[in-house]
Amino acid sequence: MSLIEVKGLCKSFGSLQVLRDVNLSVKAGERIAIIGGSGCGKSVFLRCLELLEKPEKGQVFIDGEEITARGADVNKIRRKIGMVYQKFNLFSHLDVMDNLCLAPVKLLGISRKAAENRAMEWLSMVGLTSRAHTMPSVLSGGQQQRIAICRSLMMEPKGLLFDEPTSALDPTMVGEVLALIRMLARRDMTMLIVTHEMNFAREVANRVLFLADGGIYEQGTPEDIFDSPKREKTSAFIHRLKFFNYAITRRDFDLLKMQGGIHLFAEKYGINSKLSYHLQLCCEELVYEMLAGCYGVSGALPAGATGPLPEWNAEPVDIDIDVSYAESANSTVIVLSSGGKEFNPFLNVGQDDENLHLGIKMLKKIAQNIEYRYTDGKNHIKITLRSEETLSPKEP
């Protein structure tokens, strides 16, 4: 028997139909990642499972009991499936221990001492025993979310629903929450996880649902969805997520913004830190080479210079960078297009390396393949970076 069974679920908000005839069967122990574009109904679907949003049509069964049935004991059935939200929702006037013990004592009827013993076991599992009597307001976001997960586990649910559990966290705190979810996965906890962390979904889930057009547009194993999607919208969504673009229209462009974007892109898809560093280095060196070679001037002040940038730095340029990452091939590709005069920064590669700029030498070292062409008045460069497995341990 399935732990969760959904039949013909429909949900609308006014004239907007968000979910249309959704059907799903979830077996005990399954870990399902739910992905899709903003507004496709991922969070609404989870909320409908616990009747936090009431569907217009359809049936939802939790461990054999229909929560959508007329006269059903909704609160009792809900206890079988815990819910973890984006915003933690801890009671701000209660300390951690009170947050954890309140529901088991009130709803399950266990003693306060038994509840505290159970709470300390979970706090020990997540490394937060020292925070047992701390108020939520002084905890970090990652700590609050781990406490929120523990609070759901205190009710001994048969499954958990996660509604984008890391979306409200600083990037530095995401890892500690994902580590806890991985631990639950190893314990065969049934989980439905709405997430934008694709690398995490691939690692933890044994089934992925892609939501579009009011329902489950495509589903399959992580390999099916992320590497070989069968349907058009799934393929477009996966490609778009693994794609970073940055346009440069001024010589005095924001280098830190570009590098920050590349860093977040690499972090999101679990790209090795060494490869991430090389990716940033490659883009930076390539941009400055093209600024100097295509437009005749450098995009930065000379070393040691101070004061405002010269006026020519504000003149327009036309450089566009696309970065794509293919998990299946472990391949990272940079494609740069640039206006200005025809200029191939790698023209002398393989002839006289001593005459190459330091940046070009580094690019040559970390690139697996380099292609250049000049068409329609634009320079086009494609660089495939060496995979992290082929990088020397001594390289930075």
Side-chain angles (χ1 to χ4, degrees):
M1 183 176 67
S2 299
L3 179 60
I4 300 174
E5 189 80 30
V6 181
K7 299 180 180 180
L9 188 70
C10 298
K11 176 61 183 176
S12 300
F13 294 97
S15 60
L16 176 64
Q17 188 168 31
V18 179
L19 299 174
R20 183 188 311 112
D21 195 29
V22 178
N23 298 280
L24 179 68
S25 180
V26 181
K27 296 179 181 178
E30 270 200 289
R31 302 177 300 279
I32 297 177
I34 302 174
I35 64 173
S38 179
C40 70
K42 302 184 296 295
S43 296
V44 172
F45 176 66
L46 286 193
R47 293 176 64 84
C48 283
L49 297 184
E50 289 210 322
L51 241 58
L52 298 174
E53 295 287 353
K54 189 173 181 179
E56 285 81 35
K57 293 182 181 178
Q59 297 173 290
V60 177
F61 296 85
I62 306 294
D63 196 28
E65 295 187 79
E66 185 183 353
I67 193 171
T68 49
R70 186 186 299 273
D73 189 341
V74 173
N75 289 327
K76 182 180 178 181
I77 299 173
R78 277 178 182 161
R79 295 172 199 168
K80 298 181 179 183
I81 303 292
M83 183 90 169
V84 179
Y85 305 89
Q86 298 179 33
K87 296 293 186 179
F88 326 135
N89 292 340
L90 297 176
F91 296 114
S92 59
H93 64 293
L94 300 178
D95 69 12
V96 167
M97 184 58 72
D98 287 338
N99 264 280
L100 296 180
C101 293
L102 181 62
V105 171
K106 294 286 187 181
L107 301 177
L108 299 183
I110 68 175
S111 69
R112 172 72 184 203
K113 182 175 178 57
E116 289 184 357
N117 289 339
R118 185 184 298 179
M120 290 304 292
E121 289 177 5
W122 281 115
L123 290 176
S124 177
M125 290 293 294
V126 301
L128 291 174
T129 52
S130 63
R131 299 294 190 174
H133 298 290
T134 301
M135 300 303 289
S137 60
V138 301
L139 299 175
S140 70
Q143 290 172 333
Q144 290 188 61
Q145 189 62 296
R146 281 184 283 166
I147 296 298
I149 295 173
C150 287
R151 184 175 60 179
S152 290
L153 293 168
M154 287 288 292
M155 298 296 289
E156 298 186 332
K158 294 188 175 183
L160 287 175
L161 310 177
F162 291 90
D163 186 9
E164 298 189 39
T166 62
S167 64
L169 301 179
D170 183 276
T172 60
M173 300 175 184
V174 169
E176 58 195 50
V177 173
L178 297 185
L180 174 54
I181 299 175
R182 289 188 188 98
M183 181 195 74
L184 295 174
R186 290 193 295 271
R187 293 178 166 219
D188 291 327
M189 172 65 74
T190 307
M191 295 186 286
L192 275 70
I193 309 168
V194 170
T195 183
H196 290 293
E197 303 283 344
M198 299 299 112
N199 197 58
F200 171 72
R202 171 189 282 275
E203 177 186 350
V204 170
N206 46 33
R207 184 158 41 132
V208 177
L209 311 182
F210 174 64
L211 267 59
D213 296 343
I216 301 172
Y217 183 82
E218 185 172 352
Q219 62 178 301
T221 66
E223 292 75 18
D224 291 336
I225 299 300
F226 295 123
D227 297 336
S228 305
K230 302 293 189 298
R231 303 190 67 187
E232 180 181 356
K233 289 186 179 180
T234 314
S235 181
F237 177 80
I238 296 300
H239 175 73
R240 185 169 63 251
L241 282 178
K242 299 178 184 177
F243 190 81
F244 171 80
N245 173 267
Y246 193 81
I248 297 172
T249 58
R250 296 165 58 98
R251 291 179 173 88
D252 58 339
F253 73 102
D254 191 339
L255 174 63
L256 293 181
K257 183 177 180 180
M258 182 184 80
Q259 299 292 52
I262 293 171
H263 173 75
L264 290 176
F265 170 81
E267 188 175 67
K268 183 172 185 179
Y269 293 104
I271 296 175
N272 179 278
S273 59
K274 186 182 296 180
L275 186 56
S276 173
Y277 168 78
H278 285 165
L279 184 58
Q280 294 178 66
L281 175 67
C282 191
C283 289
E284 177 180 347
E285 295 296 336
L286 193 56
V287 166
Y288 282 123
E289 285 293 332
M290 300 309 285
L291 282 171
C294 297
Y295 301 97
V297 289
S298 169
L301 284 172
T306 59
L309 290 168
E311 290 185 4
W312 49 259
N313 272 282
E315 295 178 9
V317 298
D318 181 16
I319 297 178
D320 199 70
I321 294 180
D322 293 331
V323 180
S324 61
Y325 175 60
E327 287 178 299
S328 57
N330 193 20
S331 173
T332 308
V333 178
I334 301 169
V335 176
L336 178 144
S337 65
S338 172
K341 66 181 182 181
E342 182 177 356
F343 174 68
N344 180 1
F346 300 97
L347 187 60
N348 296 320
V349 171
Q351 297 179 23
D352 185 4
D353 284 0
E354 293 302 318
N355 293 328
L356 293 175
H357 291 169
L358 178 60
I360 291 298
K361 288 184 180 180
M362 289 189 288
L363 287 175
K364 179 187 174 186
K365 185 177 182 181
I366 64 180
Q368 178 177 313
N369 186 58
I370 300 172
E371 301 174 22
Y372 172 86
R373 60 187 172 87
Y374 184 78
T375 56
D376 300 324
K378 282 200 170 187
N379 299 276
H380 299 276
I381 297 174
K382 180 179 179 180
I383 300 176
T384 303
L385 295 188
R386 292 163 56 194
S387 65
E388 56 195 73
E389 288 83 0
T390 63
L391 294 173
S392 166
K394 294 183 179 180
E395 294 180 48

